[in-house]
Amino acid sequence: MTQAIPATKQTATFTKLVSKEGGVEYDLKPIHVCEETFAPLEVHYDYDAIRRQVSRESIAAGPNSIWRYRAFLPVASENPIDVGTGMTPLLKSTRLARRLGLKELYIKNDAVNMPTLSFKDRVVSVALTRAREFGFSTVSCASTGNLANSTAAIAAHAGLDCCVFIPADLEAGKVLGTLIYSPTVMAVKGNYDQVNRLCSEVANTYGWGFVNINLRPYYSEGSKTLGFEVAEQLGWKLPDHIVAPLASGSLFTKIYKGFQEFVKVGLVADKAVRCSGAQAEGCSPIAQAFKEGRDFITPVKPQTIAKSIAIGNPADGPYALDVARKTGGNIESVNDAEIISGIKLLAETEGIFTETAGGTTIAVLQKLVEQGKIDPDETTVVYITGNGLKTQEAVQGYIGEPLTIEPKLDSFERALERSRTLDRLEWQQVLV
Amino acid sequence: MTQAIPATKQTATFTKLVSKEGGVEYDLKPIHVCEETFAPLEVHYDYDAIRRQVSRESIAAGPNSIWRYRAFLPVASENPIDVGTGMTPLLKSTRLARRLGLKELYIKNDAVNMPTLSFKDRVVSVALTRAREFGFSTVSCASTGNLANSTAAIAAHAGLDCCVFIPADLEAGKVLGTLIYSPTVMAVKGNYDQVNRLCSEVANTYGWGFVNINLRPYYSEGSKTLGFEVAEQLGWKLPDHIVAPLASGSLFTKIYKGFQEFVKVGLVADKAVRCSGAQAEGCSPIAQAFKEGRDFITPVKPQTIAKSIAIGNPADGPYALDVARKTGGNIESVNDAEIISGIKLLAETEGIFTETAGGTTIAVLQKLVEQGKIDPDETTVVYITGNGLKTQEAVQGYIGEPLTIEPKLDSFERALERSRTLDRLEWQQVLV
C-alpha cells in the first residue's frame, strides 16, 4: 500500500560518507574509518537540497528539540527518537561577565539537557535513530560516564537492548545514573583509552551498534546542533568567539561545522568565529600540541579530576587543532584546583552547577581573558556540557558546610552571628 | 527624563491580594496571611487587561521560559530574573503508556528544569523578581531540599544575599547542590514542619524575603506555568486528566488555576480536567483526608524516603482536597517500595531518572490506572517535578551493579555470558 507523502516530508539530504582526508567515498553504512587513508569518515550533505527545504521560519516552527534541524542531521526516519533533547537555555551572563570584564558573554547550558543532563543526549539521539534505521537491536558505547548515561537512557526510551562500557573508577553519580535504566554495564579496569580499544574489538566481533565507534560518523553530527542553537538563539547571528571543552575533539569541530553550514545555506551572515578549546592539565594532549606548534597528537596517560574529558589519545585531536588555528582561537589547559575554582565561580555568579568539564571550560575562559586572548568586546559563548550533580566528589571538601542548629530562634541567631564573624574574618584576610 | 514606552510594554495585570476565604483585600505587600480570617492570601488579576495583552501568537513569540506568560505572573519589572526556567519538555510516552495500558500519556519533565532540575525554579524565579521589586537584599526559604537549591542558585545569579533553612537529615545531593552557590545554610535538627515554624519566627524578626512565607502569594503563582506550558505544548488544548505530587498542596492547586485562567482569557477551549494527587504513605495527610471524606487536614509526622514532599502539616491541603473533589480526581498514596519501583519504571521505559517525588507520582499513576480511576482513553499528563541525581541514596541497593572486567575481549565475553545466564534465571523465576 502506498501512502500519500505528507506536506512536511523532507527528502534525505545526506548522501554519502567521505574520508576526512579527502577523496575516498563510501555508502551510508555503519562504518567509521576509511580503508585506504585510515582517516575518520564524515557524512556528506547536499546543501542545495537543504537550502530548498529550510528557512528560519520553518526551523522556528519545528519541534523544541534538536530535531528542528533535522535537514542537517544524518537520519532518514520521519520519526526520529525525540526525547526533547536540545534547545537548552542560552543565558546572557551579567555577573560572570562583569567579574571577567567581558561586555557580552553567553552561557550555553547543556547541564540541563534532556534526558541525562549533558550534551551527549544530542549525539546519542542521532546515533540511536540511525542505529534503528540500520536494524541494530543492541546498542553500545565506550564512555567516560556521560555517554553511558545518555545511551542507557535513550535506549530505554526506544526499547533497544543496551550494553555500555565505562572505566571502573568513574564517579558514583555517573555509574548510578547509568544503572538506573537497567542496561548491562561493563566496568573496565583501565582508563578510557583502554575501554575504547576493547570496544573496537567488540564492535568487530559482535553485531552491535556502538554509538561512538561504528556509528561515529552519524553520532558526531549531533554536536552541530550546539552551533545551530547558539546561532538561532542569538537571533540568527554567529558569535565572535566560543570556548568549548576538548575531549576527543569532536564536539569542538562539529560546533564549527554547524556555524559553517548555517552560513552555507544562507541562514546566517558569514562571520569569522574564533574557536578556543579547554583541556585539563592532567590530560591535555591537544593543548600541548597547540602550544608546541605540532599538527600531530602525542598520546598521554590521563591524571585529572575532569574524567569526562580525560581522553589521552583523542581521535579528532588534529582536526580540533586545525579549527583553533585557522579561526584564530587558542587551546589552553588548567589544573585541578583551577577546575574546582571554575565550578565555584560559575555557581556563585550565575547559579549554574556544572561538572568538572564545565569547571575546566570556565577556568580556561578566565585564563584566556587574563592573557588578553579574548577581547572584552567580543561576543563570547562558553559551552557548559554537563551537570555538577554527577561529579559531587570533585567539590566535596571545597564548599563549606551547613550550620547545624536547633529549631529555635536563639539557636539560629547564635549561628548567624558566628557565620557573620567568620565572613568578616575571611574578608579581613582578603584585605590583608 | 521621561522615556517613550516601548510597544511591547505590558501594564501590570495584578491588582491586589485577596483572602482565599473571600472578602478581605490587601495591597500588594510582602504579606501572606489574612489578618481577619487567617486564610492564605492570593494574588488577584484583571483578566480583561490580560485578555487585551496576550494571544497565542504573542506568547509563542515570547522568551523560551516561564516569562512568556508574564501577563499572568505577579511581577511589575520589565526585566524579570530570567535564567531560562521553564519550557521543559512534554514527552509523549510510548513504552510507559503501553505498560500501563493508556492510549495517550504525556510526561511533563521538570527533572531538567533550569537551573536546578526541579519545578521550584519556576516559583523562585517569580519570588526573587518580586523580592527585588520590594527591595529585599536578603532572600531566604524553608526547604525540603529542592527549594534550597533553587533559591541559592537564582539568588546567586541575581546577586542577592541568601540564607536557606533545611532539615538536618536531607539527602547529600541536595545539601551539596545548595552549598555550591555559597549561601548561608542552616541545617535544623527537626523535620520540615519545625523548619517552617522557625522560619516564620525569623521572617517576623528579620527584614528578609522568605520566598515561601512572606512572599508566598507571589511565589506560588509561578507553579501556574506548569499548567500553561502543558496547555500550549498540547497545541493549545487542555488534557483530560493530570497526576501531580502533593506536598503543601500548592503546586496542585496552581496547575488547576493555570488551566482555568487560560480558559478565562480565551486561549484554550473550556474542558473539565480531572486533577489527581500523589502522596507518600509515610506522609499522606491529604490522601487520608480525601479517603475519609474530610475537608480538614490532620497533621502527621513524616516517615518516608520521599523527603521533598514530606510536609506533615500542608498549608494548602484543604484547597488541594477541594480541587481533587470538584474535578472528579483522586488522591492516592504509595509506600516506599512502590516509590522505588516507580522511579525504576519511569527510567526503564522512558529514560527519565526522577527523584523520590517523581517515583511517588508514577506509582500513584499506576495505582489509579489499576483501580480503574484513570480511563485508558483519557489524555493524561503526569508531572515529574525533580531529578533522581539528587536522591541517589533512595535507589542504591536496588539497581544492580556493573560487571567488573579486565580490558580484554575474553574477560568481556565471560562477563557477558554470566550476565545472560543471570537474565535467563531471573526470567525463569518470573515464568515459574
Side-chain angles (χ1 to χ4, degrees):
Chain A
M1 195 180 95
T2 51
Q3 289 194 312
I5 296 168
T8 54
K9 187 172 174 10
Q10 295 182 319
T11 32
T13 50
F14 61 117
T15 54
K16 58 192 170 195
L17 297 177
V18 182
S19 161
K20 281 192 90 162
E21 300 298 335
V24 199
E25 297 182 358
Y26 295 86
D27 288 343
L28 294 160
K29 291 187 180 156
I31 49 173
H32 68 299
V33 179
C34 173
E35 286 168 9
E36 294 181 27
T37 62
F38 299 106
L41 298 179
E42 185 151 36
V43 177
H44 189 90
Y45 296 85
D46 176 350
Y47 291 106
D48 289 329
I50 296 179
R51 201 178 298 114
R52 284 192 301 271
Q53 281 182 25
V54 306
S55 64
R56 291 179 181 180
E57 294 69 30
S58 73
I59 289 172
N64 200 36
S65 74
I66 58 167
W67 296 110
R68 67 207 277 124
Y69 310 109
R70 188 157 69 85
F72 297 88
L73 296 171
V75 303
S77 325
E78 281 298 295
N79 292 304
I81 300 171
D82 188 355
V83 292
T85 298
M87 288 307 282
T88 54
L90 181 73
L91 189 71
K92 176 143 196 207
S93 165
T94 48
R95 298 187 70 225
L96 179 60
R98 205 181 305 140
R99 187 80 75 89
L100 299 178
L102 293 175
K103 291 204 187 118
E104 214 175 343
L105 174 66
Y106 292 87
I107 302 162
K108 179 61 175 172
N109 188 19
D110 264 18
V112 295
N113 203 7
M114 166 98 177
T116 68
L117 313 176
S118 88
F119 88 97
K120 294 291 188 187
D121 293 329
R122 300 172 183 273
V123 283
V124 171
S125 292
V126 174
L128 297 196
T129 298
R130 195 72 188 131
R132 215 171 48 179
E133 293 174 2
F134 282 131
F136 289 113
S137 58
T138 299
V139 293
S140 188
C141 67
S143 171
T144 55
N146 282 322
L147 183 56
N149 294 171
S150 188
T151 303
I154 301 178
H157 176 88
L160 293 161
D161 284 336
C162 179
C163 176
V164 300
F165 295 76
I166 53 174
D169 70 341
L170 270 199
E171 299 94 342
K174 287 193 174 158
V175 179
L176 185 135
T178 300
L179 286 169
I180 193 71
Y181 307 106
S182 287
T184 303
V185 180
M186 297 284 170
V188 182
K189 289 185 193 161
N191 60 33
Y192 172 77
D193 301 286
Q194 291 171 292
V195 174
N196 197 33
R197 271 197 299 278
L198 172 61
C199 286
S200 294
E201 282 190 77
V202 178
N204 289 335
T205 316
Y206 290 72
W208 293 357
F210 274 81
V211 300
N212 56 342
I213 300 178
N214 51 352
L215 295 168
R216 191 174 179 85
Y218 311 98
Y219 157 93
S220 57
E221 289 287 289
S223 291
K224 293 189 307 189
T225 58
L226 273 171
F228 299 151
E229 288 179 18
V230 161
E232 181 177 351
Q233 290 171 323
L234 286 175
W236 301 101
K237 272 191 302 203
L238 299 184
D240 297 317
H241 206 143
I242 64 147
V243 184
L246 295 177
S248 74
S250 171
L251 167 73
F252 188 70
T253 61
K254 295 292 179 170
I255 293 172
Y256 173 71
K257 186 179 179 185
F259 291 151
Q260 281 195 307
E261 288 186 340
F262 262 25
V263 171
K264 208 173 284 181
V265 302
L267 286 169
V268 297
D270 198 2
K271 183 179 187 179
V273 182
R274 297 172 70 199
C275 299
S276 291
Q279 292 213 292
E281 217 169 87
C283 182
S284 52
I286 311 177
Q288 282 168 25
F290 185 85
K291 265 175 223 166
E292 293 164 15
R294 284 187 271 119
D295 58 4
F296 61 93
I297 303 292
T298 308
V300 301
K301 219 168 190 172
Q303 184 62 46
T304 169
I305 56 167
K307 294 181 186 175
S308 64
I309 52 173
I311 298 184
N313 189 13
D316 290 289
Y319 306 107
L321 277 174
D322 183 50
V323 166
R325 286 194 179 120
K326 75 182 170 202
T327 64
N330 287 279
I331 299 177
E332 257 299 351
S333 63
V334 287
N335 64 34
D336 285 358
E338 291 170 311
I339 291 169
I340 292 168
S341 296
I343 293 175
K344 290 180 68 176
L345 178 62
L346 184 64
E348 290 169 11
T349 56
E350 296 295 346
I352 292 174
F353 181 19
T354 185
E355 60 156 34
T356 45
T360 305
T361 312
I362 293 293
V364 164
L365 168 70
Q366 185 169 22
K367 198 164 179 176
L368 292 176
V369 173
E370 284 165 5
Q371 292 172 347
K373 289 176 179 166
I374 292 177
D375 191 302
D377 287 324
E378 286 182 303
T379 298
T380 300
V381 175
V382 61
Y383 284 90
I384 297 303
T385 50
N387 198 293
L389 285 172
K390 295 191 194 178
T391 62
Q392 299 182 30
E393 299 89 331
V395 292
Q396 237 138 20
Y398 300 95
I399 48 164
E401 281 182 7
L403 300 159
T404 304
I405 63 171
E406 299 294 328
K408 288 174 181 157
L409 193 61
D410 62 339
S411 178
F412 157 71
E413 290 184 325
R414 280 197 306 274
L416 186 68
E417 187 49 43
R418 213 160 60 229
S419 83
R420 283 177 173 167
T421 311
L422 285 173
D423 276 355
R424 261 198 306 278
L425 284 176
E426 274 180 37
W427 194 235
Q428 282 167 350
Q429 282 179 328
V430 171
L431 293 177
V432 169
Chain B
M1 195 180 95
T2 48
Q3 288 195 309
I5 295 169
T8 54
K9 186 171 174 16
Q10 296 182 318
T11 33
T13 50
F14 61 116
T15 54
K16 59 193 170 196
L17 298 176
V18 180
S19 162
K20 280 191 90 162
E21 300 298 335
V24 198
E25 298 181 356
Y26 296 86
D27 288 343
L28 294 160
K29 291 184 180 158
I31 49 174
H32 67 299
V33 179
C34 174
E35 286 168 11
E36 292 179 29
T37 62
F38 299 108
L41 297 178
E42 185 152 35
V43 177
H44 189 90
Y45 296 85
D46 176 349
Y47 290 106
D48 289 328
I50 296 178
R51 201 177 299 115
R52 284 192 301 272
Q53 283 182 23
V54 305
S55 63
R56 291 180 181 179
E57 294 67 33
S58 74
I59 289 172
N64 200 35
S65 73
I66 59 166
W67 296 110
R68 67 207 279 120
Y69 310 109
R70 188 157 69 85
F72 297 88
L73 296 172
V75 304
S77 324
E78 280 300 293
N79 293 304
I81 300 171
D82 188 355
V83 293
T85 298
M87 287 307 280
T88 54
L90 181 73
L91 189 71
K92 176 141 196 211
S93 164
T94 48
R95 298 186 71 225
L96 179 60
R98 204 180 307 140
R99 187 80 76 89
L100 299 178
L102 293 175
K103 290 204 187 117
E104 214 175 342
L105 174 66
Y106 293 87
I107 301 162
K108 179 62 175 171
N109 188 18
D110 264 18
V112 295
N113 203 9
M114 165 98 176
T116 68
L117 313 177
S118 87
F119 88 96
K120 293 291 187 187
D121 293 329
R122 301 172 182 273
V123 284
V124 171
S125 291
V126 174
L128 296 197
T129 298
R130 194 73 189 132
R132 212 171 50 180
E133 292 174 2
F134 282 130
F136 288 113
S137 57
T138 299
V139 292
S140 188
C141 66
S143 172
T144 56
N146 282 322
L147 182 56
N149 294 171
S150 187
T151 304
I154 301 177
H157 177 89
L160 294 161
D161 285 335
C162 179
C163 176
V164 300
F165 295 76
I166 54 174
D169 70 342
L170 269 199
E171 299 95 341
K174 288 194 173 156
V175 178
L176 185 136
T178 300
L179 286 169
I180 193 71
Y181 307 106
S182 287
T184 303
V185 180
M186 297 285 170
V188 182
K189 289 185 195 162
N191 60 33
Y192 173 77
D193 300 286
Q194 291 171 295
V195 174
N196 197 33
R197 271 197 300 276
L198 171 62
C199 286
S200 293
E201 281 190 78
V202 177
N204 289 334
T205 316
Y206 289 72
W208 293 358
F210 274 81
V211 300
N212 56 344
I213 300 178
N214 51 353
L215 295 168
R216 190 172 180 86
Y218 311 98
Y219 156 92
S220 57
E221 290 287 290
S223 292
K224 293 189 307 190
T225 58
L226 273 172
F228 299 151
E229 288 179 19
V230 161
E232 182 178 352
Q233 290 171 323
L234 286 175
W236 302 101
K237 272 192 302 205
L238 299 184
D240 295 318
H241 206 142
I242 65 149
V243 184
L246 296 176
S248 74
S250 170
L251 167 73
F252 188 71
T253 60
K254 295 293 179 170
I255 293 172
Y256 173 72
K257 186 179 179 186
F259 291 151
Q260 281 195 308
E261 288 185 339
F262 261 25
V263 171
K264 209 173 283 180
V265 302
L267 286 169
V268 297
D270 198 1
K271 183 180 188 178
V273 182
R274 296 172 71 198
C275 298
S276 291
Q279 293 213 291
E281 216 169 87
C283 183
S284 51
I286 310 177
Q288 282 169 26
F290 185 84
K291 265 175 224 166
E292 295 164 15
R294 283 187 271 119
D295 59 2
F296 61 92
I297 303 292
T298 309
V300 300
K301 221 170 188 170
Q303 184 63 45
T304 168
I305 57 168
K307 294 181 185 176
S308 64
I309 51 172
I311 299 185
N313 190 12
D316 290 289
Y319 306 107
L321 277 175
D322 183 48
V323 166
R325 287 194 178 120
K326 75 182 171 201
T327 63
N330 287 280
I331 298 176
E332 256 301 349
S333 63
V334 286
N335 64 34
D336 286 357
E338 292 170 312
I339 291 169
I340 292 167
S341 296
I343 293 174
K344 290 180 68 178
L345 178 63
L346 184 65
E348 290 170 10
T349 56
E350 296 294 346
I352 293 174
F353 182 20
T354 184
E355 59 155 35
T356 45
T360 306
T361 312
I362 293 294
V364 164
L365 168 70
Q366 185 170 20
K367 198 164 179 175
L368 292 176
V369 174
E370 284 164 5
Q371 293 171 347
K373 289 175 177 166
I374 293 178
D375 191 303
D377 287 325
E378 285 182 304
T379 299
T380 300
V381 175
V382 61
Y383 283 90
I384 298 303
T385 50
N387 198 292
L389 286 172
K390 294 190 193 179
T391 61
Q392 299 182 30
E393 299 90 329
V395 292
Q396 238 138 21
Y398 299 95
I399 49 166
E401 280 183 9
L403 299 159
T404 304
I405 62 172
E406 299 295 328
K408 288 174 182 157
L409 193 61
D410 61 340
S411 179
F412 157 70
E413 290 184 326
R414 278 197 305 275
L416 186 67
E417 189 48 45
R418 214 160 59 229
S419 84
R420 283 178 172 166
T421 311
L422 284 174
D423 276 356
R424 262 197 306 278
L425 285 175
E426 274 180 36
W427 193 236
Q428 283 166 348
Q429 282 179 327
V430 171
L431 293 177
V432 168

